[in-house]
Amino acid sequence: MAPHEPYSDQSQQTKIAYLDGAPKTVHIRRARVVVHPGTERERELIFDQNVIKIGALDDNDVILEDDTVSRYHCRIVQEDDTYVLVDLDSTNGTHINGVRIREAYLSTNMIVCVGNTDIRFSPIDEEVPVEPSKAQRLGNIVGRSVKMREIFDILEKIAPTSATVVIEGQTGTGKEVVAQTIHQMSPRSDKPFIVFDCGAVPESLIESELFGHEKGSFTGAIMTRKGLFEMAQGGTIFLDELGELSLDLQPKLLRVLEQREVRRVGSNEPIPIDVRVVAATNRSLEEEVKEGRFREDLFYRLSVVRLFLPPLKQRAEDIPLLIEHFLDTMACNKNVDGHRRLQGVAEDALNALCAYDWPGNVRELANVVERACSFAESEILQRQDLPDYITSANGLSQGLYADESAAQWSEVPSRRQLQEEPFKEAKEKWISTFERDYISELLGRHGGNISQAAREADIDRKYFRKLMSKYGIDADEYC
């Protein structure tokens, strides 16, 4: 059997695919493995993961009680729209039609001989139409718009599987909430849900954070430490800001996805893992691949399911429902007895909120509602309780400067105060005030996410951190 070729048919790269636009269907691909077919010992196993391990040890997916089967004998890997059987240097070999193979494509109902055990393999393909859900809430996701209710339907179909999911969308659209909902609706809900922001950790530490390290493997490694993949064993790991992952680390993540095992820094010993990967990015990974900033093979390995979250301005009909959700769940709107302080929103205030473009999406709306809860003097949120940049006719054009209390802007030195000082000192004071307030505003807009704030400012993340340190700004205050 000839070894498999590299990726060739990029249009069939996913087991489950949902892209914005028609046709709206979910393509579900599973694999059926029948051990001892046609005998009294026949047993059938169904898998929805992209790697199926076969061997004698208990941590394999298909466990064979056969003395001629090696501990880790072979594995079946999905690549594009095909499956490849890979022998793992087994003692007694893996055979198809009496021929010992190292790698071979698998076809429907093909019989594979693993040691002395026969296995029949078949892919299962199913096209399921996407219908807007009748519900207006799924987990902590809220929405009545057609786009959101279609996403609800997709999540209900894919959450019970082990499929890898990539969530794409603008900053603040609720990607982490969607990831949490996928985890909560899956059979892994009682296992850990681990979050890792690929853009918030220094590049030199990411490998250790994800995969762990052994004592003495590098300066400062004073003890052995588990990585986040090990901590998420049996559960879900959410890789936020995936587009920030460096090219040097991408092949290591690819290896984890393909082999379902990690190696700690400083160790050659593989550690098997059973972890579902959900990733998020506000970049277009397809564009990143074209520009050479993201590996093509990793993109196709991750893109088992791709979800696109619409910006809030494209689903304005969801705003009243979201506001009601925030008023009902936010701690800032609770009295001492636990009851709601604000009971509703005045019509003119709601009209202003619905007319605003929300460049910060759902996160910005949540921040505005939280601020309004602090300023409101009655049980109904009034128009005057909202920031000026939302209620003003100029909208966002005044957003950066109009509402000092919302953005926590510093007191700008007056012209007279500056004129009373030497030019150099006055200039430095003015620039310092601008820098401090500019950094604070961006962090507030992005919920304390340094990577996103630095990207919007179009400055290096390290320099952004340097400015934060210079002015004593803590990102946690804006989360």
Side-chain angles (χ1 to χ4, degrees):
M1 297 289 176
H4 69 277
E5 297 296 327
Y7 296 101
S8 57
D9 185 358
Q10 297 180 358
S11 64
Q12 299 292 330
Q13 77 271 21
T14 63
K15 289 191 296 185
I16 308 175
Y18 171 75
L19 302 180
D20 191 14
K24 292 178 179 176
T25 61
V26 176
H27 175 209
I28 299 176
R29 167 166 285 192
R30 300 186 179 96
R32 177 187 288 115
V33 173
V34 180
V35 182
H36 301 298
T39 71
E40 294 181 355
R41 300 170 60 192
E42 178 178 304
R43 58 189 173 101
E44 180 181 280
L45 301 168
I46 304 294
F47 298 97
D48 54 35
Q49 60 214 42
N50 59 356
V51 179
I52 304 169
K53 292 185 175 182
I54 302 172
L57 291 187
D58 291 344
D59 56 354
N60 287 285
D61 302 300
V62 181
I63 304 168
L64 302 179
E65 296 179 357
D66 180 343
D67 292 340
T68 65
V69 172
S70 299
R71 294 179 301 168
Y72 300 105
H73 197 101
C74 61
R75 66 171 179 258
I76 299 171
V77 181
Q78 186 199 351
E79 296 191 349
D80 293 354
D81 59 343
T82 64
Y83 285 92
V84 177
L85 177 67
V86 182
D87 184 80
L88 301 177
D89 295 325
S90 63
T91 301
N92 295 304
T94 304
H95 296 76
I96 297 176
N97 296 331
V99 178
R100 183 167 181 167
I101 61 95
R102 182 179 296 275
E103 291 188 18
Y105 285 116
L106 292 176
S107 57
T108 301
N109 291 324
M110 180 174 279
I111 300 294
V112 177
C113 185
V114 179
N116 290 329
T117 301
D118 284 345
I119 293 176
R120 185 173 67 224
F121 172 85
S122 298
I124 305 172
D125 290 306
E126 183 180 7
E127 289 285 343
V128 181
V130 174
E131 300 289 344
S133 171
K134 295 180 180 179
Q136 297 185 357
R137 180 187 301 269
L138 188 69
N140 289 324
I141 315 173
V142 174
R144 61 166 62 102
S145 61
V146 173
K147 285 188 177 182
M148 290 308 297
R149 290 188 291 115
E150 286 177 345
I151 288 174
F152 291 171
D153 187 56
I154 295 165
L155 294 179
E156 289 173 343
K157 290 177 169 65
I158 67 171
T161 74
S162 297
T164 304
V165 182
V166 173
I167 308 167
E168 300 184 45
Q170 294 179 5
T171 298
T173 48
K175 296 186 286 291
E176 184 170 345
V177 177
V178 172
Q180 290 171 342
T181 301
I182 291 172
H183 175 73
Q184 291 162 3
M185 295 176 61
S186 76
R188 302 171 179 266
S189 58
D190 60 340
K191 300 297 183 180
F193 177 78
I194 303 293
V195 179
F196 179 74
D197 187 338
C198 299
V201 177
E203 190 174 309
S204 59
L205 297 179
I206 290 180
E207 184 176 2
S208 172
E209 286 289 317
L210 287 176
F211 310 133
H213 62 255
E214 296 292 338
K215 180 180 178 180
S217 57
F218 56 85
T219 303
I222 59 175
M223 60 190 302
T224 297
R225 182 178 181 276
K226 286 184 177 181
L228 295 181
F229 272 96
E230 286 185 74
M231 294 180 188
Q233 188 71 269
T236 303
I237 186 168
F238 175 54
L239 303 177
D240 199 6
E241 296 303 320
L242 179 69
E244 300 291 333
L245 197 65
S246 71
L247 279 170
D248 291 339
L249 289 170
Q250 290 175 24
K252 297 178 181 179
L253 175 59
L254 177 63
R255 192 177 307 119
V256 171
L257 295 174
E258 289 183 334
Q259 300 180 4
R260 292 171 57 210
E261 62 187 27
V262 296
R263 285 181 172 84
R264 294 174 182 168
V265 177
S267 172
N268 291 322
E269 187 70 24
I271 301 172
I273 57 164
D274 174 22
V275 175
R276 182 182 196 166
V277 176
V278 179
T281 177
N282 60 6
R283 300 186 183 188
S284 168
L285 290 185
E286 289 176 306
E287 290 300 319
E288 294 296 298
V289 170
K290 291 177 182 177
E291 296 295 327
R293 293 189 292 265
F294 201 85
R295 289 177 62 106
E296 185 177 33
D297 48 3
L298 178 58
F299 170 70
Y300 290 119
R301 177 62 69 202
L302 285 165
S303 298
V304 177
V305 179
R306 291 174 68 197
L307 284 176
F308 295 82
L309 298 187
L312 188 54
K313 66 181 180 181
Q314 291 183 9
R315 54 184 185 107
E317 62 265 46
D318 292 341
I319 292 175
L321 199 63
L322 285 164
I323 293 172
E324 175 62 23
H325 171 70
F326 295 143
L327 292 178
D328 195 48
T329 58
M330 281 185 167
C332 62
N333 195 38
K334 301 291 184 183
N335 290 319
V336 178
D337 59 5
H339 292 93
R340 281 172 55 160
R341 191 168 65 83
L342 287 180
Q343 300 300 317
V345 184
E347 184 177 356
D348 59 345
L350 184 59
N351 290 338
L353 289 165
C354 290
Y356 181 61
D357 274 349
W358 299 108
N361 293 295
V362 179
R363 182 184 291 127
E364 184 182 5
L365 175 61
N367 291 340
V368 167
V369 172
E370 182 175 6
R371 172 200 179 270
C373 288
S374 302
F375 280 83
E377 297 180 354
S378 67
E379 291 187 346
I380 301 298
L381 193 154
Q382 303 294 334
R383 186 182 178 92
Q384 60 265 27
D385 299 325
L386 300 173
D388 290 345
Y389 65 87
I390 289 179
T391 58
S392 68
N394 292 331
L396 183 62
S397 63
Q398 295 185 6
L400 193 62
Y401 299 97
D403 191 69
E404 295 179 357
S405 56
Q408 298 181 338
W409 283 71
S410 308
E411 181 179 351
V412 179
S414 68
R415 181 177 298 180
R416 178 176 295 277
Q417 288 174 317
L418 292 174
Q419 288 176 341
E420 292 175 352
E421 297 189 25
F423 172 79
K424 184 177 179 180
E425 285 78 359
K427 179 182 176 182
E428 288 177 354
K429 183 176 290 187
W430 182 269
I431 292 175
S432 296
T433 301
F434 166 77
E435 288 179 342
R436 178 174 58 248
D437 295 343
Y438 183 82
I439 297 300
S440 298
E441 164 65 12
L442 284 180
L443 284 171
R445 187 182 305 170
H446 293 285
N449 189 307
I450 298 173
S451 296
Q452 294 170 359
R455 191 177 303 119
E456 181 174 335
D458 197 25
I459 59 178
D460 184 79
R461 182 161 55 94
K462 293 180 180 178
Y463 182 63
F464 195 96
R465 285 183 176 275
K466 182 177 179 181
L467 290 174
M468 288 174 59
S469 176
K470 178 180 178 180
Y471 298 113
I473 299 172
D474 186 357
D476 291 340
E477 296 177 2
Y478 299 89
C479 295

